[in-house]
Amino acid sequence: MLINADLHTHSCFSAATSKDMVISNIAPKSREKGLNLVGTGDAFHPKWLDIIEESTDYKGDGIYSHKDCDFVLTTEVEAKHKIHHLIILPNIEVARELSHKLVSSNKYIDGRPRSPLSGAELLELVKEYDCMIGPAHAFTPWTGMYKTYDSIYDCYGKKPDFVELGLSADTDMADTVKELSDFVFLTNSDAHSPWPHRLGREFNQIEMKDISYSSLQKALKHKDVKANYGLLPNLGKYHMTACTNCYKIIDPEIAKSNNMKCSCGGRIKKGVDFRISEIADYKNAKHPSFRPPYVHLMPLAEIISMIYDKGITTKTVQRTWQRLIDSFGPEIDVLINTQLEDISKIDDKIALGIEGFRNKTLDVVPGGGGKYGEIHFSERIDEPKPKSEKILTLDNF
């Protein structure tokens, strides 16, 4: 069976995360997105584990269910060198025992615990309990594994179970790195809120015998991910090298020559695009035979928001989003499968926006420095095209 799985989210106990990230909110929104299996996030936080136990029915083999949405225990740990690691766990008993064993100064405060362990030490610890582990958003400049290491084996000492690409990368970028040709790639949302433009914005379509921990474990081991769904990578907020203060996109060589300081006084952060180019072995991607297609998505709420020039969380955008979901089913189907003429019966402009998304007739202002990229549709939606963001060079820095 094909399962749509988003395996990296956070709970209300993580820093900078919505108080609405609780099971009773995550479950229905996940189903509306078209997800079958969702990572709980924050599985080393004792109070979050209590909530999971109280809010779900245990179906066995690591699966906790709430109103037709299945959950598997996951957590993100910030370990040595501030590198983030994604861990998938077999059950609550293991989560509690590992939480007790993990050396961390903040595990009872923050859903994402900090630990002095190295990647290799963390791998050895969780493997004692049959957990799965891999780098979270592997290429991002603040907390990705490759911001510190040039090789994944330098971090873990041996092969981890997967590599999570992150919002600012896709398989075309990652498969320029030779050592990753034997890894299964995961694309997950890293959602901090249940809003429809966050939860499930990236997910994996996985062939599984059933929805269970052991089936997921076998699927990742045998590379049975059949499709990765995710954002256009230049929409990610760390895709390009840019200033973290004014968000100007800056040529990486110029940034380095100025000691990563912007003319505004802000700090420049190396982008995922440039970081991958530094460690790449190939100019163009060389996909292994098992590598599935990468399907670029854009959250439906963002399409609606841009068309009507209203905030994503406004009543207008959310009502329109809900109407489309109620009419045609999960968001994934609305974006990819629903006939445009059917959508136009509800809203002509939305139909044109989705058509532009499907046809890739979009103007993209890339993200960087902590600011998400922006998409603008063509003139046929009666909106003026923005001027493209210029990359700063020696002449205009």
Side-chain angles (χ1 to χ4, degrees), residues 233-378:
N234 50 2
L235 287 175
K237 60 183 179 180
Y238 297 111
H239 182 71
M240 300 293 284
T241 300
C243 176
T244 59
N245 181 49
C246 69
Y247 304 117
K248 287 183 293 189
I249 297 172
I250 300 167
D251 182 284
E253 297 301 332
I254 304 303
K256 287 195 293 185
S257 68
N258 283 276
N259 297 316
M260 305 305 281
K261 288 290 184 180
C262 181
S263 56
C264 77
R267 183 181 182 185
I268 300 169
K269 249 331 187 180
K270 185 185 295 184
V272 168
D273 179 69
F274 183 64
R275 179 57 184 144
I276 290 179
S277 76
E278 289 182 316
I279 60 174
D281 298 286
Y282 315 118
K283 183 177 180 181
N284 299 309
K286 291 189 178 182
H287 301 300
S289 59
F290 68 85
R291 185 73 70 219
Y294 192 106
V295 182
H296 291 114
L297 289 180
M298 180 185 179
L300 179 59
E302 291 193 9
I303 295 175
I304 300 168
S305 172
M306 284 183 286
I307 288 172
Y308 285 102
D309 194 25
K310 292 183 180 295
I312 289 178
T313 59
T314 60
K315 290 182 178 179
T316 297
V317 172
Q318 292 302 310
R319 275 198 303 259
T320 305
W321 181 88
Q322 193 65 57
R323 188 180 178 193
L324 289 166
I325 301 306
D326 292 343
S327 299
F328 304 116
E331 178 175 326
I332 298 161
D333 286 337
V334 176
L335 284 169
I336 296 174
N337 300 321
T338 304
Q339 295 294 315
L340 293 172
E341 54 264 34
D342 292 333
I343 297 173
S344 66
K345 293 175 183 176
I346 291 180
D347 192 304
D348 286 336
K349 288 186 176 181
I350 301 299
L352 290 172
I354 293 174
E355 181 181 21
F357 157 72
R358 292 180 184 178
N359 295 338
K360 298 181 173 62
T361 55
L362 311 172
D363 292 326
V364 178
V365 178
K371 181 182 179 181
Y372 286 105
E374 299 175 359
I375 288 182
H376 300 266
F377 293 97
S378 65

Side-chain angles (χ1 to χ4, degrees), residues 33-50:
K33 291 288 285 196
L35 301 173
N36 311 109
L37 181 63
V38 181
T40 61
D42 301 355
F44 285 164
H45 195 287
K47 290 184 179 179
W48 180 232
L49 290 175
D50 290 342

